């Protein structure tokens, strides 16, 4: 047992809350983080590259066994009453947030792992629907809780795959594997560079403090809806593009072959497909370029223009930005940001800006002012510091 604190709260608080809600002691406490993606957006379902980091914000799960083959879940954010489901609940049988937890048990069992029931209490400070992957933090925290309660021999990458299966096949959100992989496997102080084709990962040092820099997260508080049509239609276009080009995945289109590929697509498909393909192929190249710069130990200011180019690609080619996200990026850049982009799946959520730490107040004030003038809901700000992936706290 380790004593620990998370979200500025001692772990005993979660044990105590569990006991108050369920009338029995917790047998363990686990946590899994949200994430922010530095670059590599919508590349993780076509074998591409991603470069996210885990956040200090986590979903915490306190849990204990149940011996009746049922899963009882409570979320201190969404519900105080327990929702109880049989372990053999099928996809479609669980509505709402509980699917993100019950689907983990389902995915574990589908993969042949033997688990029994559990009583779980979730408490999270990852903003929900802000493009910071609160969903993966729920899935990954439940996954390590069930692993430890039932003594399963599963690694972080194994559990990331389980958590992805849960979102894709039980919840019905067609996401790639980035969110779950970084939430499970990230390392403090580092970006998590993942090749989603080979599943090879590398921890890339990311010490902004040393350079007087801050990665500002601007949560526009406009929610996205991943299981909604926009995300699915982009995914479809990416798959159509690969099929029309005769390659297994867009990862197989080298940047040098892009122009030719676009000419071919122009003859075969709706022009939007070509734009989606251009985003994915150029985005993989941007991730590669950012990793190369950071791995030399160079000043991270150098990656700024690549981040901004990533935003333009998401805005103009992938067409998933919003007026709020575009304004956050534009105002940050006008106020000295070295680079800025929307982050996450799009259609709302958060933007990031790489700024000098001593200009933070200036940048946030300028965004506040621009948002007020545009009649937008006021944004929420925090500085992203790369944190550890999923872990047992007690
Ligand atoms: P994101 O992952 O970007 O925050 P998603 O739409 O993928 O947005 O996931 C949000 C969903 O995850 C919520 O609608 C809810 O179903 C579930 N979720 C996230 N955090 C919690 C929480 N603390 N308690 C219960 N469910 C949660
Ligand atoms: Mg999500």
């Amino acid at each position: 047992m380790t004593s620990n604190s998370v979200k500025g709260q001692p772990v005993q608080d979660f044990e105590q809350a569990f006991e108050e809600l369920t009338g029995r002691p917790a047998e363990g406490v686990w946590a899994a983080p949200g994430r922010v993606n530095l670059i590599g957006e919508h590349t993780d379902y076509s074998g591409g590259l991603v470069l996210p980091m885990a956040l200090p914000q986590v979903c915490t799960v306190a849990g204990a066994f149940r011996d009746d083959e049922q899963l009882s879940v409570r979320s201190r954010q969404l519900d105080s009453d327990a929702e109880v489901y049989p372990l053999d609940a099928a996809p479609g049988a669980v509505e709402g947030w509980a699917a993100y937890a019950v689907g983990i048990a389902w995915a574990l069992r589908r993969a042949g792992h033997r688990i029994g029931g559990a009583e779980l209490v979730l408490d999270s400070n990852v903003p929900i629907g802000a493009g910071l992957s609160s969903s993966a933090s729920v899935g990954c925290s439940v996954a390590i809780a069930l692993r430890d309660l039932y003594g399963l021999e599963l690694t972080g990458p194994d559990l990331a795959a389980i958590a992805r299966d849960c979102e894709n096949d039980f919840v019905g959100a067609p996401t790639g594997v980035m969110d779950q992989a970084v939430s499970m496997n990230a390392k403090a102080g580092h970006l998590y560079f993942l090749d989603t084709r080979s599943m090879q990962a590398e921890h890339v040092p990311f010490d902004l403090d040393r350079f007087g820099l801050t990665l500002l997260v601007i949560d526009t508080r406009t929610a996205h809806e991943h299981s909604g049509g926009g995300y699915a239609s982009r995914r479809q276009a990416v798959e159509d593009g690969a099929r029309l080009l005769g390659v297994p995945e867009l990862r197989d289109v080298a940047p040098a072959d892009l122009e030719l590929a676009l000419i071919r697509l122009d003859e075969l498909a709706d022009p939007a497909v070509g734009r989606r393909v251009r985003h994915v192929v150029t985005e993989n190249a941007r991730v590669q370029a950012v990793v190369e710069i950071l791995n030399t130990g160079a000043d991270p200011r150098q990656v700024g223009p690549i981040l901004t180019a990533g935003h333009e690609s998401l805005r103009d080619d992938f067409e998933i930005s919003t007026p709020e996200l575009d304004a956050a990026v534009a105002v940050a850049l006008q106020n000295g940001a070295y680079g800025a982009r929307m982050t996450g799946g799009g259609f709302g959520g958060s933007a990031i800006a790489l700024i000098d730490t001593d200009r933070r107040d200036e940048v946030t004030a300028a965004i506040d002012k621009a948002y007020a003038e545009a009649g937008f809901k006021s944004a929420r700000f925090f500085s992203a510091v790369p944190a550890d992936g999923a872990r047992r706290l007690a």
Side-chain angles (χ1 to χ4, degrees), residues 133 135 167 179 226:
S133 206
S135 59
E167 282 208 42
D179 299 353
H226 269 186

Side-chain angles (χ1 to χ4, degrees), residues 288-320:
Q288 195 78 58
V290 169
V291 168
E292 276 161 23
I293 291 169
L294 294 176
N295 271 339
T296 65
D299 188 328
R301 287 173 179 83
Q302 287 183 28
V303 310
I306 307 174
L307 303 184
T308 306
H311 182 75
E312 288 160 1
S313 178
L314 288 164
R315 183 191 62 200
D316 303 336
D317 277 348
F318 222 62
E319 298 181 270
I320 59 169

Side-chain angles (χ1 to χ4, degrees), residues 134-182:
S134 66
S135 59
S137 72
V138 168
C140 291
S141 56
V142 170
I144 51 168
L146 291 176
R147 173 194 65 188
D148 289 354
L149 284 171
Y150 285 96
L152 305 175
E153 301 272 334
L154 291 168
T155 64
D158 294 338
L159 289 179
I162 292 288
R164 181 203 181 167
D165 289 349
C166 162
E167 282 208 42
N168 286 179
D169 301 338
F170 198 86
V171 176
T175 66
V177 74
M178 165 173 72
D179 299 353
Q180 299 83 7
V182 62

Side-chain angles (χ1 to χ4, degrees), residues 8 22-23 34 44 46 59 67 75 99 105 132 178 196 243 253-254 289 296 316 319 327 329 341 347 351 376 381:
T22 68
D44 65 340
S46 57
C59 179
D67 52 19
S75 161
L132 303 172
M178 165 173 72
T196 66
R243 187 172 39 76
V253 181
T296 65
D316 303 336
E319 298 181 270
V329 167
R341 60 182 286 270
F347 308 103
F376 296 158
F381 303 99

Side-chain angles (χ1 to χ4, degrees), residues 91-266:
V94 181
E95 300 235 312
W97 75 268
Y100 288 91
V102 180
I104 296 293
W106 173 83
L108 283 168
R109 285 162 54 103
R110 186 179 68 165
H113 304 293
R114 294 170 69 91
I115 57 163
E119 183 105 46
L120 304 174
V121 175
L122 278 60
D123 191 354
S124 174
N125 65 345
V126 183
I128 296 178
L132 303 172
S133 206
S134 66
S135 59
S137 72
V138 168
C140 291
S141 56
V142 170
I144 51 168
L146 291 176
R147 173 194 65 188
D148 289 354
L149 284 171
Y150 285 96
L152 305 175
E153 301 272 334
L154 291 168
T155 64
D158 294 338
L159 289 179
I162 292 288
R164 181 203 181 167
D165 289 349
C166 162
E167 282 208 42
N168 286 179
D169 301 338
F170 198 86
V171 176
T175 66
V177 74
M178 165 173 72
D179 299 353
Q180 299 83 7
V182 62
S183 181
M184 280 306 311
N185 305 312
K187 197 159 99 179
H190 294 75
L191 295 159
Y192 186 70
F193 174 39
L194 178 67
D195 179 330
T196 66
R197 168 171 275 181
S198 66
M199 291 307 281
Q200 291 239 352
E202 183 188 321
H203 298 284
V204 177
F206 196 52
D207 183 0
L208 293 178
D209 225 21
R210 189 156 73 86
F211 293 92
L213 287 167
T214 290
L215 189 70
L216 181 70
V217 178
I218 305 137
D219 171 6
T220 66
R221 297 168 68 216
T222 50
H224 66 87
E225 186 49 81
H226 269 186
S227 27
Y231 192 100
S233 83
R234 295 311 182 279
R235 189 175 170 136
Q236 188 62 51
V238 165
E239 281 161 14
D240 289 348
R243 187 172 39 76
L244 293 167
L245 291 169
V247 293
E249 292 181 301
L250 288 188
R251 178 67 185 283
D252 297 296
V253 181
D257 300 333
L258 177 62
E259 283 314 313
L260 211 58
L262 292 176
I263 292 167
R264 281 187 60 196
L265 281 176
D266 204 34

Side-chain angles (χ1 to χ4, degrees), residues 314-361:
L314 288 164
R315 183 191 62 200
D316 303 336
D317 277 348
F318 222 62
E319 298 181 270
I320 59 169
S321 191
T322 63
E324 287 86 350
L325 291 165
D326 290 341
V329 167
V331 175
L333 291 171
Q334 283 153 19
N335 287 272
Y338 297 99
R341 60 182 286 270
M342 56 151 287
T343 186
F347 308 103
S350 298
I352 52 174
L354 185 64
I355 61 173
D356 285 321
T357 303
D358 59 14
R359 293 189 71 171
R360 189 186 193 279
D361 291 348

